[in-house]
Amino acid sequence: MVRLVRPVFEYVDIEVEAGEENEAVSAALAGAETIPADEWRGNFAAEEYGVDAVCVTESAGDDKEIFTEIAGEKKYLLLKADTDSGEGEVVYQPWIGEVSDLMLADLCSDWSGELAEAEEAGVAHYYDWAERYARFLKDGPAKVIQLRRPRGEDE
């Protein structure tokens, strides 16, 4: 058996009174738990998010409790991305306060290593594109040679 998970993101628009943006965010977060469940909208967006395989284990039949032992061990951290401005931040989750400092350091090491690889790949692809574009600006567009069909073939 394989347990799969998929991210479900829900949203709700609320009105708060505040003097500045930070106050509005604080007021909204403080009142989030009081919002009735039926007010939340959203679901899994297959076109924007993938599915993650959390665990694989042997099944000795149709034991429905097979994953209960490991259910609490897999946690997720959110990385928030503003793809318009290019700004990103970590959205810490409550479970982070429940793990030891050593465990948090180990997890952050794994995450930062994978993120560094993604960053390096993104930068490398960008510089490859910029180099090709600079070459295009310097050399100009490719010369196109029009080929004409010999007479009699287009009839």
Side-chain angles (χ1 to χ4, degrees):
M1 291 186 87
V2 178
R3 173 170 277 182
L4 299 176
V5 296
R6 61 185 192 175
V8 175
F9 292 95
E10 296 180 307
Y11 62 92
V12 64
D13 300 318
I14 62 171
E15 196 171 309
V16 295
E17 288 187 28
E20 60 181 38
E21 186 176 335
N22 288 340
E23 288 178 23
V25 169
S26 294
L29 292 175
E33 292 181 14
T34 64
I35 300 170
D38 61 347
E39 294 291 324
W40 291 89
R41 301 287 178 255
N43 55 25
F44 176 68
E47 67 280 358
E48 293 193 26
Y49 297 97
V51 175
D52 182 36
V54 177
C55 184
V56 179
T57 187
E58 278 191 36
S59 174
D62 69 337
D63 184 3
K64 293 180 181 176
E65 302 300 316
I66 197 164
F67 290 111
T68 56
E69 191 174 301
I70 59 167
E73 296 177 13
K74 307 293 182 183
K75 305 289 186 191
Y76 289 83
L77 181 70
L78 297 176
L79 299 177
K80 185 164 91 174
D82 183 335
T83 57
D84 184 42
S85 68
E87 297 295 318
E89 64 183 271
V90 177
V91 181
Y92 291 99
Q93 300 303 301
W95 66 263
I96 287 196
E98 299 170 7
V99 299
S100 71
D101 293 339
L102 183 58
M103 176 59 71
L104 184 58
D106 185 30
L107 293 170
C108 288
S109 174
D110 293 343
W111 292 328
S112 63
E114 288 194 31
L115 289 171
E117 288 176 17
E119 177 191 18
E120 289 169 12
V123 168
H125 287 127
Y126 174 77
Y127 281 124
D128 288 346
W129 170 84
E131 187 176 289
R132 287 191 309 275
Y133 186 68
R135 199 174 316 123
F136 168 78
L137 292 177
K138 179 183 169 211
D139 299 340
K143 293 185 174 100
V144 177
I145 301 170
Q146 296 291 333
L147 297 176
R148 294 195 177 136
R149 294 183 183 178
R151 291 189 182 259
E153 280 190 15
D154 50 331
E155 297 170 12

